[in-house]
Amino acid sequence: YVEPNGFTYRDDSILVRYYVNTYPATASVSSPELFETVAVTRPVILETQHYHTIKADGNWQGANGSTRGADILKAALKTMRATYIGYHGHADVWLSENRQLAGELANLVGYWFIPTKLKTTEWKAGQPVTIELTVQNEGVAPAYVRYTASLKLVNIATGAEQVLPLPEADPRQWLPGKETVLKTTVTLPAAVAAGQYALRLGLKREVAGQDTQPVELGLKESGRHTDGFYQVVDVVKVQ
C-alpha cells in the first residue's frame, strides 16, 4: 500500500540497543529492503533512539560519538539513503556534544552536489559556447525536485550581468556516489559587450513560479554571492 500510493518509510529504531545487537551488518536498520524500493523516487526518514538512552546503553561514547555511535549512525544513514534525520533529545545538548558531527551529517544526508570541473570553449558574442560541467553527489540520496541550473557572466568593469540557463541539467539524475558529466551548449547574446567577466554557477528551486530559492553547493563559501551563485572562474574573456 505504501509504495503504489506514494508514501514513504521512516525508521525510528536507529541505535536502539536491541537493533544494534541484532542487526549489526546493517547498522541497526532492521528492514533495509524497504528503503531500497522507495529512495530513488521519494525521501525517506531516519530517527534515532532517545539520545540520553543511547548514551546510557553505551552506544554513544566520545565527543561527536567518535568512540562509538557515529560510525553506526553514518552507516545507517547510508543504508537507508535518508533525506531527513530526526533525533530525540534537547538540541542544545546534542549540538554541544556533537557539533562537528552535526555538520558532517547535514552534508551527508540527502544530496550534496559538488561541482568538480567546468570546461568551456571560447566566449564570443552571438556565438554558441560548449559547456562541460562535472558534478559529484557526495550525499546518500538524489534530489527529488528538478532544480534549475544556470551560469552567470558578470562584467568585471561595469557589473553588467548575463544569465545563461542550462535547461539540459537535471539534478534528479545526479545520483549519490556518482560523477555526472553534463555536456551542453549555450549561445551568448550578440549584445553582450566584449571584455573580462567573472563566471558564476547557480542552482535554484522554483518558488511561486520563479527561481528564487538558491540551493547550496559544495563550493567555497567565500565564493558564494548573495544571489546564490558561486564564482567558479575569476576571469573569462568575451570577444
Side-chain angles (χ1 to χ4, degrees):
Y1 182 86
V2 167
E3 295 166 21
N5 285 281
F7 291 97
T8 191
Y9 291 109
R10 182 173 101 179
D11 192 330
D12 288 11
S13 59
I14 303 307
L15 284 165
V16 169
R17 179 170 56 185
Y18 170 80
Y19 293 103
V20 170
N21 295 335
T22 306
Y23 303 99
T26 52
S28 76
V29 181
S30 59
S31 302
E33 68 281 357
L34 296 180
F35 304 99
E36 291 177 2
T37 62
V38 299
V40 174
T41 58
R42 68 202 79 167
V44 299
I45 306 158
L46 180 158
E47 190 162 314
T48 68
Q49 166 67 294
H50 302 284
Y51 183 50
H52 68 275
T53 303
I54 298 172
K55 292 193 289 185
D57 288 343
N59 284 323
W60 199 270
Q61 302 176 28
N64 297 288
S66 55
T67 303
R68 179 170 174 80
D71 55 340
I72 300 174
L73 180 53
K74 289 179 181 178
L77 179 60
K78 293 176 181 178
T79 297
M80 293 174 58
R81 300 173 65 182
T83 291
Y84 298 105
I85 301 177
Y87 66 92
H88 289 285
H90 296 288
D92 56 345
V93 176
W94 167 264
L95 288 174
S96 68
E97 298 178 359
N98 303 284
R99 184 169 295 277
Q100 180 181 341
L101 177 66
E104 294 176 7
L105 293 175
N107 286 343
L108 186 62
V109 69
Y111 60 82
W112 185 223
F113 297 138
I114 302 178
T116 57
K117 297 177 184 177
L118 178 63
K119 298 179 181 180
T120 74
T121 53
E122 291 184 333
W123 293 83
K124 295 182 179 181
Q127 299 296 317
V129 180
T130 300
I131 307 294
E132 185 175 308
L133 174 65
T134 303
V135 180
Q136 184 80 24
N137 184 352
E138 292 292 346
V140 298
Y144 303 103
V145 174
R146 184 166 184 171
Y147 304 125
T148 58
S150 302
L151 292 174
K152 177 185 283 190
L153 286 171
V154 181
N155 190 300
I156 296 174
T158 67
E161 299 180 351
Q162 179 67 52
V163 176
L164 304 167
L166 303 175
E168 294 180 20
D170 186 353
R172 295 173 299 179
Q173 304 303 319
W174 300 351
L175 301 180
K178 294 185 178 180
E179 186 178 76
T180 302
V181 179
L182 169 70
K183 295 182 179 180
T184 188
T185 300
V186 298
T187 298
L188 196 59
V192 173
Q196 293 185 330
Y197 289 75
L199 182 62
R200 300 173 185 173
L201 172 67
L203 197 63
K204 294 192 176 183
R205 179 176 184 174
E206 184 177 285
V207 179
Q210 296 183 346
D211 297 334
T212 56
Q213 184 177 8
V215 177
E216 292 189 7
L217 301 174
L219 294 169
K220 290 182 179 180
E221 187 64 22
S222 60
R224 186 174 188 268
H225 294 262
T226 55
D227 58 4
F229 279 80
Y230 291 80
Q231 192 142 317
V232 289
V233 182
D234 290 334
V235 180
V236 167
K237 184 178 180 181
V238 174
Q239 303 176 36

